[in-house]
């Protein structure tokens, strides 16, 4: 059972309990009163520097994380989830620095290294991409969409273990949703775009492109809207009457990505 939200593939055309962790307390004054009053055995410096193992609450995020160490850890977590599934191991814990209750719309994209006939790397190709435009809790939402994008993207077969070393994981966090004044009121390369409309019979249609899609395919806003209408499954005429009644929402993304080899290096450094 996943989040009750519309699920999208951006490139194709179609709370857990807190876990205790060890914390380092640098000064005796930072210890809880019960611990400060306890007899300290050791060197004279033990009163000033102590190490305690105490249950702590997970952090609480007020906004999505900026692109940097936190988003890199989330990308590495995506690799952990995928490998655990392929190796039939238990699902890993969310990074301790992440807020499991924080809700945000997100997409997980898997890219695979391509090789030419000489065995030389020649760019990345899409291997799966699924996300949710409605905010979902980081736990269990992130792990859920890792699996959906790797195993349930209908354009591709389920991911295999031998493909993992060639993968790059890209995490897109969606934010700054704004209703457009008209269908072309957005900027290629800056905004993602979500369209919604109904046909003459009242049947709803919708589709989205992440910001990089229109840019990578060198689309104009006009071309992108036409392609999104086709992507939505609508087969009626594309004319000005249709364009005038399309509701368009633009948004921006925070994007980070990690290769499999970057993930391995981070894993060894952090003892994941």
């Amino acid at each position: 059972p996943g989040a009750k939200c519309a699920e999208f593939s951006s490139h194709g055309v179609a709370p857990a309990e807190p876990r205790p962790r060890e914390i380092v307390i640098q000064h005796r004054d930072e210890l809880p009163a019960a611990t400060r009053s306890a007899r300290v055995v050791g060197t004279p410096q033990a009163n000033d520097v102590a190490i305690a193992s105490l249950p702590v609450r997970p952090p609480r995020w007020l906004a999505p994380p900026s692109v940097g160490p936190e988003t890199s850890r989330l990308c590495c977590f995506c690799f952990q989830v995928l490998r655990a599934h392929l190796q039939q191991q238990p699902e890993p814990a969310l990074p301790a620095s992440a807020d499991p209750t924080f809700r945000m719309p997100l997409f997980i994209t898997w890219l695979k290294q391509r090789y030419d006939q000489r065995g030389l790397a020649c760019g990345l190709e899409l291997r799966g991409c699924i996300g949710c435009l409605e905010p979902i809790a980081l736990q269990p939402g992130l792990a859920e969409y890792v699996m959906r994008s790797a195993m349930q993207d209908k354009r591709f077969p389920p991911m295999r273990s031998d493909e993992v070393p060639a993968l790059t994981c890209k995490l897109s966090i969606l934010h700054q949703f704004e209703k457009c004044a008209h269908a072309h009121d957005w900027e290629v390369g800056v905004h993602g775009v979500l369209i919604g409309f109904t046909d003459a019979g009242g049947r709803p249609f919708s589709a989205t492109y992440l910001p990089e899609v229109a840019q990578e395919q060198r689309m104009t806003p006009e071309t992108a809207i036409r392609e999104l209408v086709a992507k939505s499954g609508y087969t009626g005429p594309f004319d000005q009457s249709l364009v005038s009644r399309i509701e368009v929402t633009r948004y921006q993304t925070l994007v980070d990505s990690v290769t499999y080899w970057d993930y391995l290096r981070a894993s060894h450094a952090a003892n994941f």
Side-chain angles (χ1 to χ4, degrees):
K4 294 182 179 178
C5 63
E7 181 180 301
F8 287 84
S9 169
S10 67
H11 287 68
V13 268
E17 290 297 321
R19 289 173 293 276
R21 64 180 175 90
E22 288 193 347
I23 59 172
V24 177
I25 300 181
Q26 299 293 340
H27 301 284
R28 183 174 172 80
D29 289 343
E30 297 178 32
L31 289 166
T35 307
R36 287 202 305 269
S37 62
R39 180 170 177 264
V40 178
V41 178
T43 65
Q45 289 77 19
N47 289 333
D48 298 318
V49 181
I51 298 177
S53 180
L54 301 171
V56 295
R57 293 180 179 178
R60 288 291 179 259
W61 292 354
L62 301 179
S66 300
V67 175
E70 193 62 63
T71 52
S72 293
R73 281 191 284 269
L74 293 178
C75 289
C76 288
F77 171 74
C78 294
F79 268 110
Q80 288 182 282
V81 171
L82 177 59
R83 291 187 68 192
H85 171 79
L86 293 172
Q87 297 170 7
Q88 298 184 336
Q89 299 295 321
E91 184 176 299
L94 197 69
S97 58
D99 179 356
T101 66
F102 189 79
R103 302 177 66 84
M104 59 189 184
L106 58 83
F107 274 75
I108 300 295
T109 303
W110 295 102
L111 302 168
K112 186 177 177 181
Q113 183 68 62
R114 289 187 294 122
Y115 296 93
D116 61 20
Q117 294 179 346
R118 297 172 295 173
L120 300 177
C122 59
L124 298 172
E125 62 184 1
L126 182 66
R127 184 59 180 86
C129 180
I130 291 181
C132 188
L133 291 166
E134 295 294 327
I136 57 172
L138 202 56
Q139 184 171 304
L142 180 56
E144 179 179 333
Y145 277 89
V146 168
M147 296 310 305
R148 291 191 183 190
S149 58
M151 299 294 173
Q152 299 176 17
D153 189 327
K154 295 179 180 179
R155 297 165 294 175
F156 306 97
M159 200 80 73
R160 305 185 313 270
S161 295
D162 63 330
E163 296 180 273
V164 174
L167 294 178
T168 292
C169 178
K170 182 165 68 173
L171 168 65
S172 300
I173 300 170
L174 283 55
H175 67 114
Q176 284 190 245
F177 286 79
E178 301 170 306
K179 186 175 181 179
C180 294
H182 54 80
H184 307 133
D185 181 27
W186 55 280
E187 185 177 346
V188 173
V190 174
H191 298 112
V193 60
L194 168 67
I195 68 165
F197 63 96
T198 58
D199 63 11
R203 179 186 174 191
F205 294 85
S206 62
T208 191
Y209 278 148
L210 293 177
E212 60 268 28
V213 176
Q215 184 176 39
E216 290 171 356
Q217 299 185 20
R218 303 182 181 226
M219 295 179 182
T220 64
E222 293 78 9
T223 304
I225 294 299
R226 179 186 294 272
E227 294 295 325
L228 280 169
V229 169
K231 175 183 176 180
S232 73
Y234 178 74
T235 58
F238 182 87
D239 52 25
Q240 190 55 43
S241 173
L242 174 64
V243 173
S244 66
R245 67 176 190 267
I246 295 176
E247 294 184 357
V248 181
T249 301
R250 66 191 183 196
Y251 57 86
Q252 298 184 44
T253 56
L254 300 168
V255 182
D256 203 355
S257 62
V258 166
T259 69
Y260 173 75
W261 302 105
D262 289 337
Y263 152 70
L264 282 187
R265 283 189 287 269
S267 297
H268 294 155
N271 293 319
F272 279 168

